[in-house]
């Protein structure tokens, strides 16, 4: 059995198409097949099938469509047991990914990025899987997003195939495919450039010159721009009779694999992962923000590992040190240099200034599908020079501040992490301590979760203390944590990254002096949140003067505006504020760390 998405959605048994039913059934099949072998939550299925207008009993409608799909697949596969199974995370299509043309295409394209004589054959096989417009006949926002994303992958692969074919003298086969793609995508300069090269390699110089002129005319007429560097170079060579230079980037690509190790036993964040899974796969920018210790890096790295196969040209990772004991935030020029080195640029070829480095970085990423993780960002200004200039790459940015500039200018989706729900906090402790130990003292586990304010870092530190003292009763640990005066001392570790007080101090150090003062004043307050007027009263200033300070504290995710006009923070931050406020002669507690 084969499932086809790169054209009309079809199920094929042997060589015989099997009717896949009405549109809704084909959407369910496409969603599950595109995600396989990952599970798709019911809520995500509802959104992708019906969008903003789900039926009144949407969950029952999903059950019905899944039951119908099971019958279709059972008849096609001739195998016992349902090929669509249910698990706590949602519905899963139990099928070898190579039976889905989309996944087979991606596997072949990824294999072709490794050096070897078989690259042209692999790329040709990948291109042969396309049968027209992907998801043809399916409407809706999800299908449209995926269609655009997969078409980008197709164009990138076609360009890579053409370059390899010209280099090894196998250009004849690519010319008709490139002609069709240029007709469908007339503004794709890389496609037009490779078509001109292939025609010239086939000694069809007149056609190559005509195609080059037509491409330049299209760019000028419809976009108001001239040709890029590669098309200009090809045009000049054609008109002067000089041999065409090999395409930039031809030959083996550097495939960085810089992601840190995934978090062992990662649990929770189901809703956040489902939202991330639902984003378009065509690349772009995604921002993750949240307060100190809430698990931004853990979630970002975990999800990056989850999707890295979508980006066969590799993964770049860089800690921007926005909030870090290791030193001041990385200068964008230094960050660009490190990223260029990760792409294989020799040190003596790295431009001296930021503009030159950023331009070279964008040039090297053009036409590639790469995952870039920029962790621990200070602000949008630090990140902006490190963004690719063309689609295809995905940039994941994490930081403690709310990166509204990325949202406003680059249209980046923003995921703001909150404290863990209680059930996920309990799962974290179960995973770290073992179910036998947590089930033996359920009340103590509840108290530990409360004392740690459901903050992932605090829970992880508390669990580490319990693991290091296997004979310690969890009830004793809970009592130590419930003592507000000593809680920050209990939640300490053997390095700055696992010492809660130190981690919180990095956020405090980034605040303006007035924001620090207001934050310290909130420490002794027992109320869960305060109005603007109440904060102004504490600070002894007019409300209009305290509003920008509250905005700064909120942007830094030190305070949260859970209800419009009311500001508060979790108990651990409040305890830290009280601690730094009571330290006589230590106005800047970051010196302690």
């Amino acid at each position: 059995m084969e499932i086809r998405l790169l054209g009309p959605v079809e199920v094929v048994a042997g060589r015989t198409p099997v009717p896949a039913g009405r549109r809704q059934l084909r959407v369910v099949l496409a969603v599950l097949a595109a995600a396989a072998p990952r599970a798709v939550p019911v809520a995500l299925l509802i959104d992708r099938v019906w969008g903003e207008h789900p039926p009144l009993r949407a969950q029952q409608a999903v059950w019905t469509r899944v039951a119908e799909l099971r019958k279709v697949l059972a008849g096609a596969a001739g195998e016992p047991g349902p090929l669509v199974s249910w698990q706590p995370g949602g519905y899963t299509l139990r099928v070898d990914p190579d039976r889905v043309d989309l996944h087979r295409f991606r596997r072949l394209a990824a294999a072709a990025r490794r050096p070897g004589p078989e690259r042209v054959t692999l790329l040709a096989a990948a291109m042969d899987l396309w049968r027209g417009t992907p998801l043809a006949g399916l409407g809706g926002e999800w299908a449209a997003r995926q269609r655009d994303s997969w078409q980008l992958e197709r164009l990138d692969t076609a360009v890579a195939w053409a370059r390899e074919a010209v280099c090894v003298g196998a250009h004849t086969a690519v010319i008709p495919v490139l002609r069709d793609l240029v007709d469908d995508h007339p503004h794709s300069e890389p496609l037009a450039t490779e078509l001109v090269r292939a025609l010239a390699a086939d000694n069809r110089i007149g056609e190559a010159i005509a195609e080059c002129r037509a491409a330049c005319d299209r760019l000028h007429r419809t976009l108001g721009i001239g040709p890029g560097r590669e098309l200009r170079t090809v045009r000049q060579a054609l008109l002067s009779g000089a041999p065409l230079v090999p395409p930039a980037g031809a030959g083996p690509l550097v495939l960085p694999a810089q992601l840190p190790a995934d978090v062992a036993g990662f649990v929770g964040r189901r809703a956040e992962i489902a939202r991330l899974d639902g984003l378009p796969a065509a690349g772009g920018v995604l921002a993750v923000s949240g307060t100190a210790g809430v698990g931004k890096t853990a979630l970002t790295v975990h999800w990056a590992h989850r999707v890295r196969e979508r980006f066969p040209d590799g993964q770049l990772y860089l800690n921007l040190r926005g909030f870090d004991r290791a030193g001041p935030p990385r200068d964008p020029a230094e960050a660009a240099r490190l990223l260029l080195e990760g792409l294989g640029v020799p040190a003596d070829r790295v431009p001296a200034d930021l503009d030159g480095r950023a331009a070279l970085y964008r040039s090297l990423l053009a036409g590639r599908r790469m995952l870039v993780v920029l962790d621990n960002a200070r602000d949008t200004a630090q990140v902006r020079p490190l963004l690719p200039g063309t689609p295809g790459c995905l940039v994941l940015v994490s930081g403690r501040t709310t990166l509204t500039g990325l949202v406003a200018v680059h249209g980046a989706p923003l995921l703001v992490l909150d404290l863990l729900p209680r059930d996920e906090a309990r799962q974290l402790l179960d995973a770290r301590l073992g179910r036998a130990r947590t089930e033996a003292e359920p009340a103590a586990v509840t108290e530990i979760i409360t004392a740690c304010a459901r903050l992932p870092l605090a829970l992880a530190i508390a669990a580490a203390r319990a693991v290091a003292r296997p004979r310690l009763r969890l009830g004793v640990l809970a009592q130590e944590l419930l003592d507000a005066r000593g809680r920050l001392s209990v939640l300490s570790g053997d390095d700055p990254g696992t010492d809660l007080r130190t981690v919180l101090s990095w956020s405090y150090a980034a605040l303006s002096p007035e924001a620090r003062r207001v934050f310290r004043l909130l420490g002794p307050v027992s109320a869960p949140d305060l109005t603007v007027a109440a904060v102004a009263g504490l600070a002894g200033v007019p409300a209009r003067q305290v509003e920008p300070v509250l905005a700064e504290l909120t942007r830094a995710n030190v305070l949260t505006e859970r209800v419009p006009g009311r500001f508060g923070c979790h108990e651990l931050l409040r305890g830290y504020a009280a601690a730094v406020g009571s330290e006589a002669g230590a106005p800047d507690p970051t010196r302690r760390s």
Side-chain angles (χ1 to χ4, degrees):
M1 183 190 70
E2 181 181 351
I3 298 172
R4 297 177 177 176
L5 307 179
L6 303 180
V9 177
E10 292 180 345
V11 178
V12 177
R15 295 186 178 181
T16 306
V18 177
R22 51 183 166 167
R23 188 198 70 86
Q24 290 178 3
L25 186 58
R26 285 181 282 129
V27 175
V28 172
L29 170 61
V31 170
L32 294 177
R38 301 191 310 273
V40 179
V42 172
L44 208 57
L45 272 174
I46 292 171
D47 177 69
R48 291 178 175 180
V49 176
W50 290 283
E52 297 180 356
H53 305 287
L56 186 61
R57 297 178 178 176
Q59 194 168 26
Q60 289 87 338
V62 168
W63 295 342
T64 301
R65 298 291 90 77
V66 168
E68 294 173 355
L69 181 58
R70 283 171 172 160
K71 292 179 181 178
V72 170
L73 295 177
E79 297 178 7
L83 291 181
V84 179
S85 61
W86 165 258
Q87 57 187 40
Y91 285 106
T92 301
L93 180 63
R94 294 189 306 102
V95 65
D96 179 353
D98 232 34
R99 292 190 180 186
V100 181
D101 59 358
L102 171 68
H103 299 308
R104 189 158 68 255
F105 164 78
R106 287 173 170 167
R107 178 183 63 76
L108 291 167
R113 282 164 170 81
R114 294 188 289 270
E118 69 283 357
R119 294 174 71 178
V120 172
T121 303
L122 291 169
L123 290 166
M127 292 299 298
D128 280 346
L129 293 170
W130 287 81
R131 299 170 295 109
T133 303
L135 304 178
L138 297 189
E141 183 181 347
W142 175 81
R145 288 200 314 263
Q146 298 307 307
R147 194 174 290 120
D148 292 343
S149 171
W150 299 349
Q151 289 280 28
L152 282 175
E153 294 183 53
R154 182 189 189 185
L155 299 186
D156 290 344
T157 303
V159 168
W161 178 39
R163 288 180 172 182
E164 289 296 322
V166 168
C167 287
V168 301
H171 47 269
T172 305
V174 307
I175 292 174
V177 178
L178 290 178
R179 281 200 186 279
D180 289 342
L181 288 174
V182 167
D183 287 343
D184 292 338
H185 306 274
H187 302 133
S188 174
E189 195 169 338
L191 276 178
T193 303
E194 298 314 317
L195 175 56
V196 172
R197 279 200 178 100
L199 289 167
D202 203 37
N203 290 320
R204 295 153 69 173
I205 304 301
E207 290 181 60
I209 293 174
E211 188 63 47
C212 188
R213 285 175 175 164
C216 294
D217 289 345
R218 287 194 300 270
L219 292 170
H220 178 73
R221 184 176 63 255
T222 59
L223 301 180
I225 61 175
R229 179 176 58 85
E230 284 203 30
L231 189 54
R232 287 199 311 270
T233 302
V234 168
R235 180 178 62 181
Q236 183 177 357
L238 284 171
L239 296 177
S240 65
L244 268 64
V245 296
L253 299 176
V254 173
L255 298 179
Q258 297 182 345
L259 287 182
D262 197 357
V263 179
F266 184 93
V267 297
R269 298 301 186 194
R270 293 188 297 272
E272 291 83 356
I273 289 173
R275 182 183 169 194
L276 291 171
D277 286 344
L279 293 173
V285 186
L286 167 66
V288 179
S289 73
T291 191
V294 81
K296 301 175 293 297
T297 296
L299 174 64
T300 301
V301 171
H302 176 72
W303 192 71
H305 277 281
R306 185 180 175 96
V307 300
R308 64 182 178 180
E309 292 184 359
R310 299 185 196 171
F311 301 92
D313 289 323
Q315 314 98 40
L316 291 169
Y317 173 88
L318 185 60
N319 179 3
L320 293 176
R321 294 202 313 229
F323 303 86
D324 200 311
R325 179 182 176 138
R330 289 193 193 277
D331 180 83
E334 180 198 5
R337 176 183 64 80
L338 293 170
L339 290 170
L340 288 172
E341 289 180 358
L343 290 167
V345 178
D348 60 352
R349 295 190 58 192
V350 174
D353 63 329
L354 173 59
D355 288 345
R357 292 176 181 182
L360 178 58
Y361 171 72
R362 290 192 296 270
S363 297
L364 290 174
L365 291 187
R368 295 194 186 185
R369 293 190 56 76
M370 188 170 288
L371 181 62
V372 182
V373 178
L374 302 176
D375 191 22
N376 196 9
R378 182 76 163 207
D379 51 33
T380 300
Q382 186 188 27
V383 171
R384 187 171 287 124
L386 311 178
L387 301 180
T390 55
C393 295
L394 174 64
V395 183
L396 303 179
V397 184
S398 73
R400 295 189 187 186
T401 58
T402 303
L403 300 163
T404 51
L406 292 180
V407 180
V409 177
H410 300 279
L414 176 63
L415 181 63
V416 181
L417 292 190
D418 202 348
L419 303 171
L420 284 175
R422 286 195 169 271
D423 63 329
E424 293 188 357
R426 185 174 294 273
Q427 288 172 16
L428 188 153
L429 293 178
D430 288 344
R432 300 293 178 96
L433 301 177
R435 294 288 293 274
R437 193 170 181 186
T438 56
E439 289 178 353
E441 297 184 73
V445 170
T446 300
E447 290 175 340
I448 291 171
I449 291 170
T450 300
C452 291
R454 295 180 285 123
L455 187 71
L457 177 60
L459 290 164
I461 296 171
R465 291 183 68 88
V467 169
R469 302 159 69 188
R471 296 183 181 179
L472 177 71
R473 292 183 60 251
L474 296 184
V476 175
L477 176 61
Q479 289 306 308
E480 293 176 356
L481 289 168
L482 288 170
D483 178 5
R485 293 171 298 177
R487 186 176 304 162
L488 291 176
S489 298
V490 176
L491 293 173
S492 61
D494 60 353
D495 72 86
T498 57
D499 186 301
L500 185 62
R501 183 187 180 100
T502 300
V503 171
L504 296 178
S505 76
W506 297 333
S507 289
Y508 180 85
L511 299 173
S512 66
E514 181 62 10
R516 292 186 193 183
R517 185 179 79 87
V518 171
F519 175 64
R520 292 195 299 269
L521 292 172
L522 298 178
V525 178
S526 58
D529 51 48
L530 296 172
T531 63
V532 175
V535 176
L538 278 175
V541 296
R544 66 178 181 277
Q545 190 172 328
V546 84
E547 285 175 350
V549 177
L550 289 172
E552 178 185 352
L553 291 167
T554 304
R555 282 195 306 272
N557 282 304
V558 173
L559 294 186
T560 302
E561 190 178 10
R562 293 190 178 276
V563 177
R566 301 192 69 89
F567 299 83
C569 58
H570 62 74
E571 191 171 345
L572 293 176
L573 268 170
R574 196 159 53 242
Y576 176 75
V580 297
S582 65
E583 289 179 348
D588 186 355
T590 59
R591 294 175 183 169
R592 292 169 54 92
S593 60

